[in-house]
Amino acid sequence: MSYSTADSLRPVTLDDVRGAQKMLTGVARVTAMETSRHLSQLVGAPVYLKCENLQRTGSFKLRGAYVRIAGLLPEQRAAGVVAASAGNHAQGVALASALLGVHATVFMPVGAPLPKISATREYGAEVRLHGQVVDETLAAAQEYAAETGAVFIHPFDHPDVIAGQGTVGLEILDQCPEVGTIVVGVGGGGLVAGIAVAVKAIRPDVRIVGVQAEGAAAYPPSLAAGRPVSVHQPVTMADGIKVGRPGDVPFALVEELVDEVRTVGEDRLSAALLLCLERAKLVVEPAGAAPVAALLAEPGGFAGPVVAVLSGGNVDPVLMQRVLRHGMSAQGRYLAVRLRLTDRPGALATLLGVLSGADANVLDISHVRTDPRLGLSEVEVELQLETKGPVHCTELGHALREAGYTVID
């Protein structure tokens, strides 16, 4: 299954995906399909989670990378391969190359998370840090390919890669034959295109819904224009789907086969990540949580049974910490309270007693005594509280007012 540059736009077929599935036997895991009672109740239909976050290298990317590299001619393998990525594709190419005995050079941005750099090296690839953004890294990798003859392994814009990703769709049909809707995160479009090729050929009635981050949503304007168009300076925490322009090969397939592409905001992404962690006990990166974010945004908009593809779990611990805080804040789990007290001994202790009685956890306290708006014997106090959710926030407000405090907006 090897394509030349001349026929790189050749359509991907069900036979291609089935051939990829045979090629991946013993290489890629058939990942678990987990039920979600919480999401099922919310949606009003059975919801299942396809756990590609538990795939080798932590994402679906191994599938496409392995099929692409395995399809190279012997002389191409001898020249080695090169890729550019901030994380998941890098690790997929690194492991696939190691399994096939091919030398891999992977260009990564200078600011790429250290765990992803380390993992890529541990899989056997030579890592070169170049550029501050992925576009600069991509240009360096393509320049390296032109200079050395190494084969550039694109993360999504190649039929072999799409065929490999499409094996996720075949597994979904095997694991959930009655599926009504499949929800997939979308960056360049390789995964959703591959799933759509496989599923629509067997079950054309299944609805395929793509999900993009609002700040990096190139597909809606591209579909409206009938051609790939770019989003300049995409911004989102979901770096796995932070792609400024759809690939030419996946775009044609998405335009033909995917029923809808929706967008979700950062608050929904962080809330979805938190839900996966708390309710499903699954570590999922923001891009992998995008389908769950879409379910949270419009739970009544999906015909069941629904399969949400959790595409990856490679989240940097520092980002995880920030995202969890953001997600908890979006869910009303944090509350900032500002009020005025009489500046006398014991006033703060009395306030803390009220908060303790209302079962609020104080994370931080700040005092202001020098504001000209304050009276001579007043102090302004701002507290950061950890709560149990929006209802608890309302209860805290009532408790403070009943105790005689005036909360300042």
Side-chain angles (χ1 to χ4, degrees):
M1 194 188 303
S2 181
Y3 295 81
S4 66
T5 303
D7 65 359
S8 62
L9 290 178
R10 172 180 170 181
V12 184
T13 67
L14 176 61
D15 286 342
D16 293 327
V17 181
R18 283 177 168 158
Q21 188 176 45
K22 292 179 181 178
M23 193 180 293
L24 288 168
T25 301
V27 175
R29 295 174 181 148
V30 176
T31 51
M33 183 83 78
E34 299 288 342
T35 59
S36 174
R37 184 175 63 178
H38 177 76
L39 287 173
S40 297
Q41 291 174 340
L42 189 68
V43 172
V47 175
Y48 301 90
L49 306 176
K50 177 60 172 167
C51 300
E52 281 297 290
N53 58 312
L54 302 180
Q55 184 58 262
R56 296 177 71 179
T57 74
S59 86
F60 70 96
K61 289 289 190 178
L62 171 65
R63 297 174 184 263
Y66 187 91
V67 173
R68 172 76 172 105
I69 297 169
L72 297 177
L73 299 173
E75 57 269 27
Q76 292 175 313
R77 291 199 196 189
V81 299
V82 60
S85 169
N88 289 345
H89 181 59
Q91 293 172 67
V93 168
L95 179 56
S97 299
L99 293 172
L100 292 164
V102 177
H103 177 72
T105 303
V106 177
F107 285 77
M108 303 182 76
V110 173
L114 291 177
K116 294 185 178 182
I117 295 173
S118 298
T120 303
R121 285 181 172 143
E122 288 172 8
Y123 286 127
E126 175 189 347
V127 175
R128 299 191 180 192
L129 302 179
H130 184 93
Q132 299 298 321
V133 296
V134 175
D135 286 344
E136 295 174 0
T137 307
L138 181 64
Q142 291 173 325
E143 182 179 347
Y144 177 89
E147 291 174 353
T148 65
V151 179
F152 179 68
I153 307 300
H154 200 284
F156 51 81
D157 205 11
H158 194 281
D160 286 356
V161 173
I162 293 170
Q165 321 303 28
T167 59
V168 175
L170 294 180
E171 290 179 16
I172 290 172
L173 292 181
D174 287 340
Q175 294 169 315
C176 184
E178 70 280 12
V179 61
T181 305
I182 300 174
V183 191
V184 190
V186 179
L191 177 61
V192 72
I195 289 175
V197 166
V199 172
K200 289 290 189 178
I202 300 171
R203 287 275 314 281
D205 59 304
V206 175
R207 187 170 178 80
I208 309 293
V209 178
V211 183
Q212 292 206 289
E214 286 178 356
Y219 263 95
S222 296
L223 292 170
R227 59 180 175 79
V229 298
S230 299
V231 171
H232 298 292
Q233 297 182 333
V235 178
T236 176
M237 70 176 78
D239 57 352
I241 54 174
K242 185 180 176 181
V243 177
R245 181 185 185 278
D248 293 329
V249 182
F251 175 80
L253 295 168
V254 169
E255 187 176 41
E256 177 187 357
L257 299 173
V258 173
D259 296 283
E260 180 185 1
V261 177
R262 302 187 178 197
T263 62
V264 292
E266 301 296 284
D267 285 351
R268 294 292 187 187
L269 286 169
S270 55
L273 187 149
L274 184 60
L275 185 148
C276 289
L277 187 63
E278 285 191 324
R279 296 301 185 99
K281 314 307 177 191
L282 292 168
V283 175
V284 181
E285 61 189 273
V292 175
L295 297 181
L296 294 177
E298 191 180 346
F302 301 88
V306 178
V307 173
V309 180
L310 307 182
S311 58
N314 292 319
V315 57
D316 179 55
V318 176
L319 175 62
M320 171 70 88
Q321 187 179 39
R322 294 207 317 265
V323 170
L324 289 178
R325 284 201 303 266
H326 187 85
M328 291 179 71
S329 178
Q331 287 191 344
R333 301 277 292 276
Y334 292 133
L335 177 65
V337 177
R338 190 160 56 96
L339 40 79
R340 291 177 184 175
L341 306 177
T342 302
D343 192 8
R344 58 177 175 75
L348 181 58
T350 301
L351 171 62
L352 295 178
V354 172
L355 294 173
S356 176
D359 205 20
N361 184 33
V362 179
L363 300 176
D364 189 39
I365 301 176
S366 64
H367 290 77
V368 176
R369 287 187 168 87
T370 57
D371 193 311
R373 295 172 301 174
L374 295 173
L376 186 63
S377 61
E378 287 184 324
V379 58
E380 189 171 283
V381 178
E382 184 170 347
L383 303 101
Q384 298 291 330
L385 307 175
E386 183 181 5
T387 75
K388 299 174 182 178
V391 174
H392 191 203
C393 290
T394 302
E395 292 172 350
L396 284 170
H398 290 322
L400 288 169
R401 283 190 288 273
E402 288 177 1
Y405 295 101
T406 300
V407 178
I408 304 171
D409 294 329

